[in-house]
Amino acid sequence: MTTRIGIDAGGTLTKVAYWNDENIMSFKSFLSSDFQSVKEWVESKHSSSSICLTGGRAEQLKKILLSKEDLPYVVEFDATMNGVMHQMKQEIINSSSAIIANIGTGTSIHIMHDNSHARIGGTGVGGGTLLGLGMALTGLTDYKEMIQLSLNGNRSAIDVLVSDIYKDNKLPITGSLTASNFGGVSLKNEETRTKADLIAGIQGIIGEVVATLCIQAADAHGVEDIIYIGSTLEDNILLQEIIESYTILKKKNPIFLEKHGYSGAIGALLENN
Ligand code: ADP
Ligand code: MG
């Protein structure tokens, strides 16, 4: 029996979607710095495999996999949109028009209308920023440890809120909004900050920058649904909460899919039939 596999080789993680022996779609991820493990996993499949690739590092992975035949490649954005649409069908989410933000190493923003889609923007603020700034400010290197720790973090000594500035004045906008991410580090210098607080503050930057761009894109295109995907959301409850609450506050509808980071891999797998 041939195992069908879709692989999305990204800047940080290589995501794999495949049909297991019971014909159930299954998932696995590897560090993109360790393509050797991807190769070993592919080779460990007892049966033969049929692979379809996507993602920015697909060519590099192809060279390591040393397949006899040339492996098919799907353009990343097409694979990702197909993966998103498949997941929406599975999870019975209806949306004919939506903004889609893929929060990967960096963040890419798209618009989807029915079956067509276009890239409309992006930002270098993404999952790589979370890991990189997290490392720079706390010395921690493990992603899971960082996001777990950030759940206990308090952003009040890190950020400046609108209500911090407009003390005793009539508020021009919602007081609980962030006026300045990390501005509190210089303006509230009597306060102490833990590693948890710092990482929570970094999550605030990422969530608020990405959500703000998406909300503005949604306004510009007259769209209400915003679908947030990418492995940066994987197990990352705090980031999901930051994005969700801000999106709702701005009267848009935030949507998260179960397999946050796997849309590209699912799209590549579905091409592979
Ligand atoms: P890309 O396609 O660019 O590799 P992903 O959608 O896979 O991007 O998201 C990568 C981000 O996911 C990382 O920058 C990090 O914030 C987060 N992440 C989730 N799980 C892990 C992990 N096990 N190791 C490292 N980063 C992880
Ligand atoms: Mg990616």
Short mmCIF file of all heavy atoms in Angstrom, two decimals, residues 126-171:
data_model
loop_
_atom_site.label_atom_id
_atom_site.label_comp_id
_atom_site.label_asym_id
_atom_site.label_seq_id
_atom_site.Cartn_x
_atom_site.Cartn_y
_atom_site.Cartn_z
N GLY A 126 5.79 37.80 13.62
CA GLY A 126 5.12 36.49 13.60
C GLY A 126 5.72 35.56 14.64
O GLY A 126 6.28 36.03 15.64
N GLY A 127 5.63 34.27 14.36
CA GLY A 127 6.12 33.27 15.32
C GLY A 127 7.63 33.34 15.54
O GLY A 127 8.11 33.05 16.64
N GLY A 128 8.35 33.73 14.50
CA GLY A 128 9.80 33.88 14.65
C GLY A 128 10.13 35.01 15.61
O GLY A 128 11.13 34.95 16.35
N THR A 129 9.28 36.02 15.62
CA THR A 129 9.45 37.16 16.53
C THR A 129 9.22 36.70 17.97
O THR A 129 9.95 37.11 18.89
CB THR A 129 8.44 38.27 16.18
OG1 THR A 129 8.43 38.43 14.76
CG2 THR A 129 8.79 39.58 16.85
N LEU A 130 8.21 35.86 18.16
CA LEU A 130 7.93 35.33 19.49
C LEU A 130 9.14 34.56 20.02
O LEU A 130 9.62 34.80 21.13
CB LEU A 130 6.68 34.43 19.41
CG LEU A 130 6.30 33.59 20.61
CD1 LEU A 130 6.16 34.44 21.86
CD2 LEU A 130 5.00 32.85 20.34
N LEU A 131 9.65 33.65 19.19
CA LEU A 131 10.81 32.87 19.61
C LEU A 131 12.05 33.74 19.79
O LEU A 131 12.77 33.63 20.79
CB LEU A 131 11.13 31.80 18.56
CG LEU A 131 10.38 30.48 18.62
CD1 LEU A 131 10.74 29.62 17.42
CD2 LEU A 131 10.73 29.74 19.91
N GLY A 132 12.29 34.61 18.81
CA GLY A 132 13.52 35.42 18.82
C GLY A 132 13.55 36.45 19.94
O GLY A 132 14.52 36.54 20.69
N LEU A 133 12.48 37.22 20.07
CA LEU A 133 12.44 38.22 21.14
C LEU A 133 12.38 37.51 22.50
O LEU A 133 12.98 37.96 23.47
CB LEU A 133 11.19 39.13 21.01
CG LEU A 133 11.30 40.39 20.17
CD1 LEU A 133 9.99 41.17 20.26
CD2 LEU A 133 12.46 41.26 20.64
N GLY A 134 11.68 36.39 22.53
CA GLY A 134 11.60 35.60 23.77
C GLY A 134 12.99 35.17 24.22
O GLY A 134 13.36 35.30 25.39
N MET A 135 13.77 34.68 23.28
CA MET A 135 15.14 34.26 23.60
C MET A 135 15.98 35.45 24.04
O MET A 135 16.71 35.39 25.02
CB MET A 135 15.81 33.64 22.36
CG MET A 135 15.41 32.22 22.09
SD MET A 135 16.36 31.60 20.68
CE MET A 135 15.43 30.14 20.29
N ALA A 136 15.87 36.54 23.27
CA ALA A 136 16.70 37.71 23.55
C ALA A 136 16.40 38.30 24.93
O ALA A 136 17.30 38.74 25.64
CB ALA A 136 16.50 38.77 22.46
N LEU A 137 15.13 38.27 25.32
CA LEU A 137 14.76 38.95 26.58
C LEU A 137 14.78 38.04 27.80
O LEU A 137 14.90 38.52 28.92
CB LEU A 137 13.36 39.57 26.45
CG LEU A 137 13.22 40.73 25.46
CD1 LEU A 137 11.82 41.31 25.52
CD2 LEU A 137 14.24 41.82 25.75
N THR A 138 14.65 36.73 27.60
CA THR A 138 14.56 35.84 28.78
C THR A 138 15.64 34.76 28.80
O THR A 138 15.82 34.11 29.82
CB THR A 138 13.20 35.11 28.83
OG1 THR A 138 13.14 34.18 27.73
CG2 THR A 138 12.03 36.09 28.75
N GLY A 139 16.30 34.52 27.68
CA GLY A 139 17.29 33.44 27.64
C GLY A 139 16.67 32.07 27.44
O GLY A 139 17.36 31.09 27.22
N LEU A 140 15.33 31.99 27.50
CA LEU A 140 14.68 30.69 27.27
C LEU A 140 14.78 30.35 25.79
O LEU A 140 14.77 31.23 24.94
CB LEU A 140 13.20 30.74 27.68
CG LEU A 140 12.91 30.95 29.16
CD1 LEU A 140 11.41 31.15 29.38
CD2 LEU A 140 13.41 29.77 29.97
N THR A 141 14.87 29.05 25.48
CA THR A 141 14.97 28.67 24.06
C THR A 141 13.85 27.73 23.64
O THR A 141 13.62 27.55 22.45
CB THR A 141 16.32 27.97 23.77
OG1 THR A 141 16.47 26.91 24.72
CG2 THR A 141 17.48 28.94 23.92
N ASP A 142 13.18 27.13 24.62
CA ASP A 142 12.18 26.13 24.27
C ASP A 142 10.81 26.79 24.03
O ASP A 142 10.28 27.47 24.92
CB ASP A 142 12.09 25.09 25.40
CG ASP A 142 11.13 23.98 25.05
OD1 ASP A 142 11.51 23.14 24.21
OD2 ASP A 142 9.99 23.96 25.57
N TYR A 143 10.25 26.56 22.85
CA TYR A 143 8.98 27.20 22.48
C TYR A 143 7.86 26.86 23.46
O TYR A 143 7.15 27.73 23.95
CB TYR A 143 8.59 26.78 21.05
CG TYR A 143 7.23 27.28 20.65
CD1 TYR A 143 7.03 28.60 20.26
CD2 TYR A 143 6.12 26.43 20.69
CE1 TYR A 143 5.77 29.06 19.93
CE2 TYR A 143 4.86 26.89 20.36
CZ TYR A 143 4.69 28.20 19.98
OH TYR A 143 3.45 28.66 19.65
N LYS A 144 7.73 25.56 23.75
CA LYS A 144 6.62 25.12 24.63
C LYS A 144 6.75 25.75 26.01
O LYS A 144 5.76 26.17 26.60
CB LYS A 144 6.62 23.60 24.74
CG LYS A 144 6.29 22.92 23.41
CD LYS A 144 5.14 21.94 23.54
CE LYS A 144 4.52 21.66 22.19
NZ LYS A 144 5.28 20.67 21.40
N GLU A 145 7.99 25.80 26.52
CA GLU A 145 8.22 26.39 27.84
C GLU A 145 7.82 27.86 27.83
O GLU A 145 7.17 28.36 28.75
CB GLU A 145 9.71 26.23 28.21
CG GLU A 145 10.00 26.52 29.66
CD GLU A 145 11.50 26.43 29.98
OE1 GLU A 145 12.27 25.90 29.15
OE2 GLU A 145 11.89 26.93 31.04
N MET A 146 8.19 28.54 26.74
CA MET A 146 7.86 29.98 26.63
C MET A 146 6.36 30.22 26.67
O MET A 146 5.88 31.04 27.44
CB MET A 146 8.38 30.54 25.30
CG MET A 146 9.80 30.99 25.33
SD MET A 146 10.11 31.87 23.76
CE MET A 146 11.83 31.50 23.57
N ILE A 147 5.62 29.49 25.84
CA ILE A 147 4.18 29.80 25.76
C ILE A 147 3.46 29.37 27.03
O ILE A 147 2.51 30.01 27.46
CB ILE A 147 3.50 29.22 24.50
CG1 ILE A 147 3.65 27.72 24.41
CG2 ILE A 147 3.99 29.89 23.24
CD1 ILE A 147 2.73 27.10 23.37
N GLN A 148 3.95 28.30 27.65
CA GLN A 148 3.36 27.85 28.92
C GLN A 148 3.57 28.92 30.00
O GLN A 148 2.65 29.31 30.69
CB GLN A 148 4.05 26.53 29.33
CG GLN A 148 3.30 25.74 30.37
CD GLN A 148 1.86 25.43 29.93
OE1 GLN A 148 1.64 25.11 28.76
NE2 GLN A 148 0.91 25.57 30.84
N LEU A 149 4.81 29.40 30.06
CA LEU A 149 5.16 30.40 31.07
C LEU A 149 4.35 31.68 30.88
O LEU A 149 3.89 32.30 31.84
CB LEU A 149 6.66 30.70 30.96
CG LEU A 149 7.31 31.50 32.07
CD1 LEU A 149 7.23 30.72 33.38
CD2 LEU A 149 8.77 31.80 31.73
N SER A 150 4.14 32.05 29.63
CA SER A 150 3.47 33.33 29.35
C SER A 150 2.03 33.36 29.87
O SER A 150 1.46 34.42 30.10
CB SER A 150 3.50 33.66 27.86
OG SER A 150 2.62 32.83 27.14
N LEU A 151 1.45 32.17 30.05
CA LEU A 151 0.08 32.11 30.58
C LEU A 151 -0.01 32.71 31.98
O LEU A 151 -1.06 33.20 32.39
CB LEU A 151 -0.40 30.64 30.64
CG LEU A 151 -0.99 30.07 29.37
CD1 LEU A 151 -1.31 28.60 29.57
CD2 LEU A 151 -2.26 30.84 28.98
N ASN A 152 1.10 32.65 32.74
CA ASN A 152 1.11 33.23 34.09
C ASN A 152 1.62 34.66 34.08
O ASN A 152 1.82 35.26 35.13
CB ASN A 152 2.02 32.41 35.02
CG ASN A 152 1.66 30.95 35.02
OD1 ASN A 152 0.49 30.62 35.00
ND2 ASN A 152 2.67 30.08 35.01
N GLY A 153 1.88 35.19 32.89
CA GLY A 153 2.46 36.53 32.82
C GLY A 153 1.42 37.62 33.01
O GLY A 153 0.23 37.43 32.79
N ASN A 154 1.92 38.78 33.43
CA ASN A 154 1.06 39.94 33.64
C ASN A 154 1.66 41.08 32.82
O ASN A 154 2.83 41.44 32.98
CB ASN A 154 1.07 40.27 35.14
CG ASN A 154 0.21 41.46 35.47
OD1 ASN A 154 -0.23 42.20 34.58
ND2 ASN A 154 -0.02 41.67 36.74
N ARG A 155 0.85 41.65 31.94
CA ARG A 155 1.38 42.68 31.04
C ARG A 155 1.31 44.09 31.63
O ARG A 155 1.73 45.04 30.98
CB ARG A 155 0.62 42.63 29.70
CG ARG A 155 0.95 41.37 28.89
CD ARG A 155 -0.01 41.18 27.72
NE ARG A 155 0.02 42.29 26.79
CZ ARG A 155 -0.88 42.47 25.82
NH1 ARG A 155 -1.88 41.62 25.68
NH2 ARG A 155 -0.79 43.51 25.02
N SER A 156 0.83 44.22 32.88
CA SER A 156 0.59 45.58 33.38
C SER A 156 1.88 46.37 33.60
O SER A 156 1.87 47.60 33.50
CB SER A 156 -0.26 45.54 34.65
OG SER A 156 0.47 44.90 35.67
N ALA A 157 2.98 45.69 33.86
CA ALA A 157 4.25 46.40 34.04
C ALA A 157 5.02 46.53 32.72
O ALA A 157 6.04 47.20 32.64
CB ALA A 157 5.12 45.69 35.07
N ILE A 158 4.50 45.87 31.68
CA ILE A 158 5.19 45.85 30.38
C ILE A 158 4.61 46.92 29.45
O ILE A 158 5.32 47.68 28.81
CB ILE A 158 5.03 44.46 29.69
CG1 ILE A 158 5.44 43.33 30.63
CG2 ILE A 158 5.75 44.43 28.35
CD1 ILE A 158 6.91 43.14 30.81
N ASP A 159 3.28 46.92 29.37
CA ASP A 159 2.60 47.80 28.40
C ASP A 159 2.05 49.06 29.07
O ASP A 159 1.87 49.10 30.29
CB ASP A 159 1.43 47.05 27.76
CG ASP A 159 1.90 45.85 26.95
OD1 ASP A 159 3.07 45.84 26.53
OD2 ASP A 159 1.09 44.93 26.74
N VAL A 160 1.76 50.03 28.27
CA VAL A 160 1.02 51.19 28.75
C VAL A 160 -0.37 51.11 28.11
O VAL A 160 -0.48 50.93 26.89
CB VAL A 160 1.71 52.51 28.32
CG1 VAL A 160 0.87 53.71 28.73
CG2 VAL A 160 3.10 52.60 28.93
N LEU A 161 -1.40 51.18 28.95
CA LEU A 161 -2.77 51.14 28.42
C LEU A 161 -3.27 52.57 28.19
O LEU A 161 -2.75 53.52 28.78
CB LEU A 161 -3.71 50.44 29.40
CG LEU A 161 -3.38 48.99 29.75
CD1 LEU A 161 -4.45 48.41 30.67
CD2 LEU A 161 -3.27 48.14 28.48
N VAL A 162 -4.28 52.67 27.37
CA VAL A 162 -4.90 53.99 27.15
C VAL A 162 -5.33 54.58 28.50
O VAL A 162 -5.12 55.76 28.77
CB VAL A 162 -6.11 53.84 26.19
CG1 VAL A 162 -6.90 55.14 26.11
CG2 VAL A 162 -5.64 53.41 24.80
N SER A 163 -5.89 53.72 29.38
CA SER A 163 -6.36 54.21 30.69
C SER A 163 -5.22 54.66 31.59
O SER A 163 -5.42 55.47 32.49
CB SER A 163 -7.18 53.12 31.39
OG SER A 163 -6.39 51.96 31.53
N ASP A 164 -3.98 54.14 31.37
CA ASP A 164 -2.82 54.61 32.15
C ASP A 164 -2.52 56.07 31.81
O ASP A 164 -2.08 56.85 32.65
CB ASP A 164 -1.56 53.80 31.80
CG ASP A 164 -1.62 52.37 32.32
OD1 ASP A 164 -2.25 52.15 33.37
OD2 ASP A 164 -1.02 51.48 31.67
N ILE A 165 -2.70 56.43 30.54
CA ILE A 165 -2.37 57.79 30.09
C ILE A 165 -3.50 58.75 30.42
O ILE A 165 -3.27 59.82 30.96
CB ILE A 165 -2.07 57.80 28.57
CG1 ILE A 165 -0.88 56.88 28.27
CG2 ILE A 165 -1.79 59.23 28.08
CD1 ILE A 165 -0.52 56.76 26.80
N TYR A 166 -4.73 58.31 30.11
CA TYR A 166 -5.89 59.19 30.32
C TYR A 166 -6.42 59.09 31.74
O TYR A 166 -7.61 58.93 31.95
CB TYR A 166 -6.99 58.86 29.29
CG TYR A 166 -6.75 59.55 27.98
CD1 TYR A 166 -5.83 59.03 27.07
CD2 TYR A 166 -7.40 60.73 27.66
CE1 TYR A 166 -5.58 59.67 25.87
CE2 TYR A 166 -7.16 61.37 26.45
CZ TYR A 166 -6.25 60.84 25.57
OH TYR A 166 -6.00 61.47 24.40
N LYS A 167 -5.53 59.14 32.72
CA LYS A 167 -5.98 59.11 34.12
C LYS A 167 -6.80 60.37 34.39
O LYS A 167 -6.37 61.47 34.07
CB LYS A 167 -4.76 59.08 35.04
CG LYS A 167 -4.24 57.67 35.26
CD LYS A 167 -3.46 57.55 36.56
CE LYS A 167 -2.89 56.16 36.67
NZ LYS A 167 -1.45 56.10 36.53
N ASP A 168 -7.97 60.20 34.99
CA ASP A 168 -8.86 61.31 35.37
C ASP A 168 -9.41 62.10 34.17
O ASP A 168 -10.14 63.06 34.35
CB ASP A 168 -8.16 62.29 36.33
CG ASP A 168 -7.53 61.57 37.51
OD1 ASP A 168 -8.15 60.59 37.96
OD2 ASP A 168 -6.45 61.97 37.95
N ASN A 169 -9.05 61.74 32.97
CA ASN A 169 -9.59 62.41 31.78
C ASN A 169 -10.66 61.55 31.14
O ASN A 169 -10.65 60.33 31.31
CB ASN A 169 -8.51 62.62 30.75
CG ASN A 169 -7.91 64.00 30.83
OD1 ASN A 169 -8.61 64.97 31.05
ND2 ASN A 169 -6.61 64.09 30.65
N LYS A 170 -11.52 62.16 30.35
CA LYS A 170 -12.50 61.37 29.62
C LYS A 170 -11.76 60.56 28.55
O LYS A 170 -10.93 61.11 27.82
CB LYS A 170 -13.50 62.33 28.96
CG LYS A 170 -14.71 61.63 28.40
CD LYS A 170 -15.74 62.67 27.94
CE LYS A 170 -16.91 62.05 27.24
NZ LYS A 170 -16.59 61.28 26.06
N LEU A 171 -12.05 59.24 28.49
CA LEU A 171 -11.33 58.36 27.55
C LEU A 171 -11.77 58.60 26.11
O LEU A 171 -12.96 58.59 25.84
CB LEU A 171 -11.57 56.89 27.92
CG LEU A 171 -10.89 56.41 29.20
CD1 LEU A 171 -11.55 55.12 29.68
CD2 LEU A 171 -9.41 56.17 28.96
#
